[in-house]
Amino acid sequence: MTRAAPAPLWAPCELSSKPRAALPVPALDSVLSPAWAARLILKDAAQDHLRDLAGPTVGAWAAYWQGAGLSLADLHEACDMLTGAWMNERAQRAHTRAHLRRLAQQHRAPA
């Protein structure tokens, strides 16, 4: 009696520009190299962390200014000005990155 050969574990990474050995990453539903898997997991964690930190602050800001009489449309306009949403995509990306860089420098972790 013969056994069927097990399915190969290794496959090319779905995101690498050059073929790199990768394994399935069920949490990401992809076949990824270690570098890409770590990057995507870190990006997801950063996005969740930003939402968790910023949510209460932005919510309090919105409630405060709605209480002062501003509409959600007014607040949305303020958000657009902060993020550069009125700019073309390339300019908005540069604006946001410069803003993030400046904020990261101003609010560094204590030594």
Side-chain angles (χ1 to χ4, degrees):
M1 187 165 231
T2 61
R3 290 186 178 185
L9 286 174
W10 294 96
C13 178
E14 294 173 358
L15 296 177
S16 297
S17 58
K18 297 178 181 174
R20 300 203 191 288
L23 290 174
V25 181
L28 300 174
D29 195 29
S30 298
V31 176
L32 301 171
S33 67
W36 271 104
R39 179 178 169 82
L40 291 180
I41 289 169
L42 286 173
K43 284 176 67 174
D44 284 350
Q47 184 176 350
D48 291 346
H49 193 209
L50 176 62
R51 185 192 60 243
D52 293 346
L53 288 174
T57 301
V58 173
W61 169 81
Y64 177 87
W65 287 106
Q66 279 185 307
L70 292 180
S71 68
L72 283 176
D74 294 328
L75 299 178
H76 185 246
E77 186 178 328
C79 291
D80 282 352
M81 293 305 294
L82 177 68
T83 63
W86 49 273
M87 300 176 180
N88 68 49
E89 188 176 337
R90 185 175 177 186
Q92 181 185 17
R93 194 170 26 254
H95 169 80
T96 302
R97 288 178 181 173
H99 195 59
L100 286 171
R101 187 178 304 109
R102 187 172 47 257
L103 288 172
Q105 290 171 350
Q106 290 173 350
H107 301 283
R108 290 182 188 265

